[in-house]
Amino acid sequence: MSATTVGFQTAQYFTVGAMAAVVFDYCLTIPQEVQLIWGRKWDVIRVVFTLTRYVTFMGTAMTTYAAVTDRSHYTSCATFNAVSYSSHLISIIAAEGLLIFRTYAFWGQNKKLLVFLLVLAAFSIVGAVGVSEVVSILHLINSPGFDPTGCVFGSGKRSTIQYGFLILYELVLMILTIYKRFNFYKGVRSRLVTTLYRDGMIYMTCIIMVSFTHIVIALVVPGTYTNILDAPQLVIHGVLASRIIFNLRQSRESNSMIIDGMFPLVDTRRTPGSHSIASVNTGPGTVEG
């Protein structure tokens, strides 16, 4: 068996495994989705959650199809690839959107921070897509054996640019989260703070690690391996982002200090003993943590 065949088969195994993982996770969490999401009003959070949850299915399914189907007799796969690429992009952007709202909540609904994160996200998206497209058009980093039809399962090395931008954005969110945790919530003991901080750090750490691994694979190993983490990364984004919402909604159901729709109204005041108290207006009353 040639090295090329081994590379393609390895990428296929990882892709099919990612498809199985997202289906398995959906079966596990559909009761939570029914209980915590369905029946609620269609606000920004629910729309972004739905895109994250179900476009991930679409993107993973299309990648799996591309991996297991022999498309060598096709003259062009440009349309299919464009739709698949768009589904990946929308899913990842939506997942990052949920993380932005989580950070916004963690920072006590700071409008300036939200504007900064949205502007930075816009620049990151334009930079990631724009630079990679320019590089692709100029054929600056095409691998040997580049397939002009787009029907060979492989993403090339231009994906390293996009994942590089993603890592930088995740690092910004991570720094903001750590700073707020140890400068604002240092003396606070509440389930909300723990949930927001823990879930966010797990999400960002996983995304940074898998993105870095993706870059290393694309730059170091043969081109037939480049799609090995394409579907897994998409699944990680969708699964972890969805679970952030589930955990927050479950915290609210258990009457912890929580945000309705992840938009908090946090008031912070100092007690006589110089301890910070964060309170959230959840409707009729105020819960402190």
Side-chain angles (χ1 to χ4, degrees):
M1 185 179 294
S2 66
T4 299
T5 302
V6 172
F8 278 125
Q9 287 190 348
T10 303
Q12 287 175 338
Y13 294 152
F14 273 79
T15 302
V16 173
M19 187 72 226
V22 74
V23 172
F24 180 67
D25 177 76
Y26 184 80
C27 293
L28 289 179
T29 57
I30 186 61
Q32 292 173 285
E33 181 176 350
V34 172
Q35 177 187 359
L36 303 171
I37 305 297
W38 291 10
R40 296 176 182 268
K41 66 178 181 179
W42 282 92
D43 54 10
V44 175
I45 297 300
R46 186 175 178 185
V47 171
V48 176
F49 168 83
T50 302
L51 288 174
T52 303
R53 181 85 156 162
Y54 292 98
V55 178
T56 296
F57 266 108
M58 177 180 174
T60 307
M62 294 187 73
T63 302
T64 303
Y65 174 83
V68 302
T69 304
D70 181 11
R71 301 187 294 169
S72 59
H73 61 284
Y74 293 178
T75 57
S76 175
C77 300
T79 301
F80 179 91
N81 291 343
V83 175
S84 178
Y85 174 75
S86 297
S87 65
H88 281 238
L89 191 62
I90 291 171
S91 177
I92 291 176
I93 290 174
E96 290 299 304
L98 291 178
L99 193 62
I100 289 174
F101 285 120
R102 185 213 66 87
T103 306
Y104 172 59
F106 201 61
W107 273 71
Q109 203 180 15
N110 188 309
K111 296 294 196 305
K112 291 182 180 179
L113 177 72
L114 179 61
V115 172
F116 167 74
L117 291 178
L118 292 176
V119 171
L120 181 62
F123 276 109
S124 299
I125 294 169
V126 172
V129 177
V131 174
S132 61
E133 287 299 321
V134 170
V135 168
S136 178
I137 292 173
L138 297 178
H139 305 297
L140 296 179
I141 55 175
N142 286 328
S143 304
F146 171 69
D147 173 41
T149 68
C151 295
V152 175
F153 186 60
S155 58
K157 296 184 178 181
R158 69 170 186 163
S159 60
T160 58
I161 298 172
Q162 299 170 355
Y163 290 118
F165 274 95
L166 179 60
I167 289 175
L168 291 176
Y169 193 77
E170 294 293 340
L171 287 174
V172 171
L173 293 177
M174 179 177 285
I175 292 171
L176 289 171
T177 299
I178 294 174
Y179 172 81
K180 197 67 172 179
R181 175 66 179 89
F182 292 101
N183 285 272
F184 184 80
Y185 294 112
K186 188 174 182 179
V188 176
R189 298 287 186 270
S190 75
R191 183 172 178 179
L192 173 64
V193 172
T194 301
T195 299
L196 284 171
Y197 181 73
R198 179 202 63 204
D199 289 359
M201 292 302 294
I202 290 174
Y203 177 97
M204 290 179 285
T205 301
C206 288
I207 295 303
I208 290 173
M209 291 178 62
V210 73
S211 297
F212 180 77
T213 304
H214 206 142
I215 291 174
V216 172
I217 290 175
L219 293 178
V220 176
V221 304
T224 53
Y225 289 88
T226 54
N227 263 14
I228 194 172
L229 290 180
D230 194 22
Q233 173 137 17
L234 185 66
V235 171
I236 290 172
H237 272 282
V239 168
L240 294 183
S242 298
R243 286 181 178 271
I244 286 176
I245 296 298
F246 292 148
N247 290 341
L248 287 172
R249 288 287 171 86
Q250 284 178 330
S251 296
R252 181 179 183 275
E253 294 295 326
S254 63
N255 295 320
S256 295
M257 185 180 68
I258 194 61
I259 307 154
D260 186 7
M262 286 185 68
F263 287 97
L265 182 59
V266 180
D267 299 315
T268 305
R269 61 182 183 273
R270 307 291 295 185
T271 64
S274 297
H275 296 290
S276 296
I277 293 181
S279 61
V280 176
N281 185 356
T282 59
T286 300
V287 181
E288 297 183 350

